[in-house]
Structure formats: structure tokens, C-alpha cells
Amino acid sequence: MFFGGTGDLAYRKLYPSLFNLYRKGNLRTHFAVVGTSRQAMDHEKFRAAVKKSLADSGNRVESKEATDFISHFYYQAHDVTDTAHYAVVKDLLDKLDKKYKLQGNRIFYLSMAPQFFGTIAQDLKTQGLMSDNKDAFNRLVIEKPFGRDYDSAKQLNDALSKSFEEDQIFRIDHYLGKEMIQNIEALRFGNTLVESLWNNRYIDNIQVTLSEKLGVEERASYYDNSGALRDMVQNHIMQIVSLLAMEQPVAFTDTDIRAEKVKALRSLRVYNVADAATNFVRGQYGSINDQPDYRHEDNVPNDSTTETFVAGKLLFDNYRWSGTPFYVRTGKMLADKFTRVDVVFKRPLVDIFAFPQSQSTPLAANVLTIFVEPHAGFSLQLNAKTNDTGFQTEPIKLDYLVDAEKSKETPEPYERLLHDVMKGDGTNFSSWPEVSYAWKFVDQIRRVWDLQEPNFPNYTPHSMGPAAAEELIQRDHREWIYRLNH
Ligand code: NAD
């Protein structure tokens, strides 16, 4: 069932994703979907809204398939803060359980504002909505954000743990549902060529960029309370980095993978005040032409110090990564919308082509790029001889791009993640230890930033952020692989 069943996320992402699972045969007859929210509405009106949501996401809805699917939807008006009223929802769930022979298996998806998560989890238990059939599952799906710092996240987690065990809680990080993020494991652990070089002896640095082209749009009031560090670094970037940094799991299971990610995050260096100030930079976008700066967007205070850009250097104090930094950056109103990882290998220790031929340009570094979006694929930059007389080298690229036909079939992150929840596979969700280590790291940066008034705005829209982000990496005699004129 979906709490917040009439919300933007449910209509735009969750129902269309469920329909895809249905079309592909992952849901058949034994299922019912209950939506709740405060709004009064009968089942038919709700089904009409679900039908519209499927149509809006490009589905043919006049088919028998769509009609059958929608017939499994039910609605119950319900205020999540009204404990006594949970009994009405329970009655509906029990009735549907019998009708569809669900044997007590229940998934509770909290697609609503996080301040309600604790109350709902508590009432689900105390009001008897969780099935008591020992062979059945009760699962709780939680949307982001999971807290706004370590203390609030812990408070929330403590509240959830009163009703649900850790293996019943699925904390969504939709980046973990993306094809190429899941491909990191295949690339690393399926290829000797890659994994044998995946360490500080051969890798000079790793760069993770999550770049957004748009400004805050209609999310301004939420975003201004959060900022790029909390909204993107604590969750998505930390998850990507832990997949890149972890050791090989014993087996390809959620427990083993999570254990390795946690170990990686435990060896992430938590900065002291001085290092936090040097290794992380922030930015806020200015205005361009008739486009307002961040401070003059709707619902943003004119003196907001919220960062719309972050870049930072992460260091792991472990045998594999000591001395190899991970540079990360993310921001709004940047040059383009894309997510990519650039793995920059060390140059050969000796460049034999530099002498005696006096090659004019030194050997380029090998770079393995993982394109996450908008296009999915890899690219490996190698050095080869130029196709002419004499002996010069030039960088060439081996590219693999998922073709357009295949891309169309790629499941949406929410489709994969809903499917994982149904299977009880927690691989692509954030576990509490991961979330807590990520917060402890991020809190330290935040603490330092909160002591100092930033000099905002400090970057031009459609650039790649403030000059400080360039200085951060150039100070280490390195360059961002993705540059504006790339
Ligand atoms: P929304 O505001 O569109 O929907 C919230 C839903 O909660 C509505 O159905 C509303 O009627 C219901 N609701 C509010 N107060 C209630 C109450 N007291 N009792 C019962 N129902 C109540 O929000 P959304 O955009 O759908 O986001 C839902 C969650 O998903 C949030 O945690 C958000 O941070 C997260 N999220 C959303 C998106 C997105 O694209 N919309 C993306 C990532 C994460």
C-alpha cells in the first residue's frame, strides 16, 4: 500500500513502474494496491487518476491489460496522524488479503513527507496493520530524505526500528536503481582486466560528477532547507563512491554487498575542521540574462546561504585507496544534465616515446568513463600510434554505448526498486550503517560551513561551478576530466 497515494511521486513514477512490472509478468493476479491520503475519493475516482498517470507516462490505457491492472487499485481516505483511523485501513487490507489470497504479505510504501515516517511506522505496528502470519513478509519502503543530519537520521531510525527490523526496511536511493550504477559491480568483479588494476597502484584518482542543468524549479522550499550537500552528496554520491571503493563481496547477495560498502565507508576519512574547509567547496548560482539568481527564485529567501553546488575530495584510509583521492561534484544550473564517473589511471612510469623522438605531447592518462545518464555506456581511453609516418601517440577511445532500442527497454529505477522490494532483495537500498557513516562525514563539512558566511552567488549558470572547484583539483596538479568545452 502507498501512503501519499495521490502525491506527485506516486502518480509520476510509482504507478507507471508497477504497471511495467505487471506488463512483464512480475505481478499477476495475487496483488492489490491501496492508495491513501487525506483527500476524500472513492475507488473509481482513484482508478481514473491511476489510469491518467499511466496515460501521461506514455502507456496505452484503453487495453484489457491496463483495465485489469487498474482493477486491483483501491483507495482509502486517511490522515496518517489520526491513530484511531488506522483501523479503517486495516479492515480494507484484511478484506483484500482474503479476496486476492495474499497470505498476509504486505509492503508499506511511505511516499510522503519524512516528518510522518516515524508516526506511520509506529501506528502500523500498534494498530495491527502488519500481518502476523509468520510465513508472510511486512516490508517498509522509505523515500528520501532520511534525516537532515546524523542525529535526526538516528532518531528516525530508532523510531522505525521499534516496528521494523533492519531487513524489513528499504530506504530508497533511486540512483541505485540506475542501470549503469548497477553495472559498476559487473564491470569491476566480472573483468580481471579492470579489477586487477582497481587500486592505488594503478588509479591516480576517481571523479564522480552529478550535473543538473535546471535550477530549483518547484522544489525550492524543500531544497532551500537542504542544499546540495544533503540533497545529493550524503545519499547518491556516497552510495556511488562506496560501490566504487568497496572490496569484492564474498557473494553477490545483499548482505555481502552491504557489508563491503559499510567497510568502505568506515575507512572514509572524516575531516577535521581545517581539512573540511580545504577539501570541500560550495557554490550558489548567479543570474544570467533575464534568469534570476538562486536568491531570487520563487520561495527562496533573498539572503539564502544554501549551496546549489558542492565539490569535494574524499580520502579512504585503507590499503586499496590510500593516496588515491575521489573527487566529487554536483550542482544545479550547470552546463548540462548528466551523471558520469571518470576513473583516471596513472601514466606509465616511463614515457619511452618522449625521447629520442621528442614527442610534442606527453602520453595521456588512460581513463575509464562510466556514463550513467543521459546515455548509458563505458568509454576507455587508451594511447595508440597516430596513423602516419613518424612515431607520435594519440589518445583513442573504445566506446560501448547502450543503443537507443535497448535503452527504451531499460527499466526505470523505480521499476527495478519496486521489483527488488517484492523479492525482498535489499542490495539496491541504503542500509542504516551506510546512511549513518555518510551523515557523520557530511555533518562535519556542514559544521564548518555553518561557521562562515559564504560569498554567494559565485558561479555563472551553465558553467561547471565556481572557480574554487577548479582550484580544488588543480591544487593537486590534476584536472576534471569532464570540462565545459569537452
Ligand atoms: P507530494 O506532496 O506530492 O505528496 C504527498 C502525499 O501525502 C499526498 O498524497 C498528500 O495527500 C499526502 N499527505 C500529506 N499529508 C498527509 C496526512 N497527514 N495524511 C495522509 N496523507 C497525507 O509529495 P511527493 O513529491 O509525492 O513526495 C513524496 C515523498 O517522496 C517525499 O518524501 C519526497 O521527498 C520523496 N521524493 C519525491 C520525488 C518526486 O519526484 N516527487 C523524488 C524523490 C523523492
Side-chain angles (χ1 to χ4, degrees):
M1 69 163 294
F2 292 96
F3 289 94
T6 59
D8 172 68
L9 183 72
Y11 284 142
R12 231 167 21 85
K13 300 277 184 194
L14 303 177
Y15 302 149
S17 297
L18 267 186
F19 184 50
N20 281 343
L21 288 171
Y22 180 77
R23 283 195 305 109
K24 295 175 186 172
N26 295 307
L27 280 174
R28 288 182 189 277
T29 44
H30 300 292
F31 77 97
V33 183
V34 175
T36 70
S37 81
R38 273 183 305 193
Q39 221 175 312
M41 190 176 358
D42 60 16
H43 299 318
E44 283 316 314
K45 192 165 170 216
F46 181 51
R47 287 175 189 155
V50 172
K51 184 173 179 178
K52 183 170 181 313
S53 105
L54 302 188
D56 290 350
S57 56
N59 290 289
R60 277 187 45 238
V61 287
E62 298 311 332
S63 59
K64 178 172 180 318
E65 191 175 44
T67 311
D68 287 350
F69 171 71
I70 294 168
S71 73
H72 288 255
F73 279 69
Y74 296 82
Y75 184 79
Q76 177 60 55
H78 166 68
D79 186 332
V80 295
T81 57
D82 181 355
T83 301
H85 201 235
Y86 278 75
V88 182
V89 183
K90 174 180 161 49
D91 284 348
L92 177 61
L93 295 188
D94 290 344
K95 219 164 66 193
L96 294 174
D97 199 307
K98 282 204 190 82
K99 177 168 178 178
Y100 291 97
K101 299 190 177 62
L102 305 177
Q103 298 165 341
N105 292 314
R106 288 181 185 175
I107 296 173
F108 304 99
Y109 197 123
L110 312 192
S111 179
M112 20 196 326
Q115 79 253 30
F116 297 119
F117 293 170
T119 319
I120 301 175
Q122 186 183 329
D123 286 346
L124 285 175
K125 178 154 188 176
T126 59
Q127 304 309 304
L129 276 76
M130 292 167 69
S131 135
D132 47 16
N133 177 351
K134 285 204 171 38
D135 298 323
F137 59 74
N138 288 290
R139 294 178 184 146
L140 184 73
V141 189
I142 302 277
E143 266 298 336
K144 82 167 199 185
F146 200 90
R148 55 175 281 112
D149 51 25
Y150 172 74
D151 291 340
S152 56
K154 171 136 188 357
Q155 214 173 22
L156 170 58
N157 203 58
D158 289 346
L160 301 183
S161 333
K162 289 194 181 121
S163 305
F164 292 86
E165 300 293 329
E166 175 65 18
D167 65 359
Q168 295 177 301
I169 304 175
F170 294 75
R171 296 175 195 79
I172 296 264
D173 184 322
H174 71 280
Y175 270 73
L176 294 177
K178 291 181 190 282
E179 177 68 18
M180 294 311 289
I181 297 299
Q182 300 194 349
N183 228 320
I184 291 174
E185 289 148 305
L187 184 69
R188 286 190 55 191
F189 306 119
N191 297 291
T192 316
L193 183 72
V194 177
E195 189 55 18
S196 58
L197 304 180
W198 204 260
N199 57 53
N200 52 8
R201 282 181 67 198
Y202 301 105
I203 294 180
D204 180 76
N205 72 93
I206 295 186
Q207 304 177 9
V208 178
T209 308
L210 275 59
S211 166
E212 296 182 275
K213 199 171 181 176
L214 297 175
V216 274
E217 309 287 293
E218 69 285 347
R219 287 178 73 224
S221 26
Y222 159 75
Y223 191 86
D224 197 61
N225 262 313
S226 163
L229 185 68
R230 289 190 176 104
D231 190 47
M232 301 294 279
V233 178
Q234 187 276 335
N235 37 47
H236 311 316
I237 287 190
M238 287 302 208
Q239 284 294 328
I240 297 172
V241 164
S242 60
L243 286 168
L244 293 164
M246 72 180 183
E247 295 299 314
Q248 173 156 329
V250 174
F252 196 61
T253 66
D254 51 1
T255 323
D256 290 317
I257 294 170
R258 282 174 166 197
E260 294 308 332
K261 283 165 73 188
V262 172
K263 258 167 61 192
L265 289 172
R266 280 179 60 194
S267 48
L268 177 64
R269 188 182 305 172
V270 177
Y271 291 134
N272 60 27
V273 173
D275 288 345
T278 1
N279 290 335
F280 266 77
V281 302
R282 54 183 159 164
Q284 190 188 75
Y285 60 82
S287 65
I288 195 166
N289 304 327
D290 51 0
Q291 208 173 287
D293 62 15
Y294 175 73
R295 287 174 174 175
H296 292 88
E297 297 276 19
D298 290 345
N299 300 319
V300 175
N302 289 349
D303 57 354
S304 170
T305 55
T306 300
E307 77 284 356
T308 59
F309 178 94
V310 188
K313 174 160 89 167
L314 275 57
L315 296 170
F316 287 92
D317 290 316
N318 60 23
Y319 194 73
R320 185 185 284 264
W321 293 118
S322 178
T324 294
F326 286 56
Y327 297 97
V328 302
R329 59 183 170 164
T330 183
K332 291 199 176 288
M333 203 63 94
L334 297 182
D336 212 345
K337 177 171 172 54
F338 64 87
T339 299
R340 62 187 271 164
V341 176
D342 294 289
V343 181
V344 186
F345 289 86
K346 292 188 172 169
R347 289 184 170 79
L349 291 178
V350 179
D351 180 355
I352 61 163
F353 308 113
F355 187 81
Q357 286 88 347
S358 313
Q359 171 153 288
S360 44
T361 46
L363 281 172
N366 297 144
V367 180
L368 172 67
T369 300
I370 304 171
F371 297 105
V372 178
E373 57 190 359
H375 303 295
F378 309 118
S379 171
L380 178 60
Q381 178 177 286
L382 300 172
N383 290 306
K385 183 185 164 300
T386 52
N387 190 14
D388 52 21
T389 54
F391 201 103
Q392 293 284 318
T393 63
E394 64 176 350
I396 51 126
K397 283 185 176 162
L398 305 184
D399 287 331
Y400 162 72
L401 278 185
V402 178
D403 65 40
E405 266 315 294
K406 268 204 196 140
S407 288
K408 267 194 257 156
E409 290 161 22
T410 307
E412 279 277 319
Y414 276 102
E415 182 184 333
R416 285 179 206 276
L417 298 177
L418 281 167
H419 193 207
D420 286 349
V421 176
M422 289 176 199
K423 292 187 298 180
D425 180 349
T427 307
N428 299 310
F429 298 84
S430 323
S431 66
W432 167 242
E434 291 164 50
V435 172
S436 61
Y437 283 116
W439 272 126
K440 282 178 185 164
F441 178 84
V442 157
D443 279 357
Q444 195 60 3
I445 316 291
R446 189 73 260 171
R447 230 167 260 141
V448 174
W449 283 358
D450 286 346
L451 296 174
Q452 247 185 1
E453 188 81 9
N455 191 9
F456 285 165
N458 63 351
Y459 71 93
T460 318
H462 316 310
S463 68
M464 278 312 286
E470 294 297 325
E471 287 153 18
L472 173 87
I473 193 163
Q474 282 168 1
R475 203 176 58 207
D476 296 344
H477 309 289
R478 297 184 173 106
E479 296 278 351
W480 292 107
I481 297 295
Y482 175 90
R483 305 184 62 75
L484 198 47
N485 55 0
H486 205 268

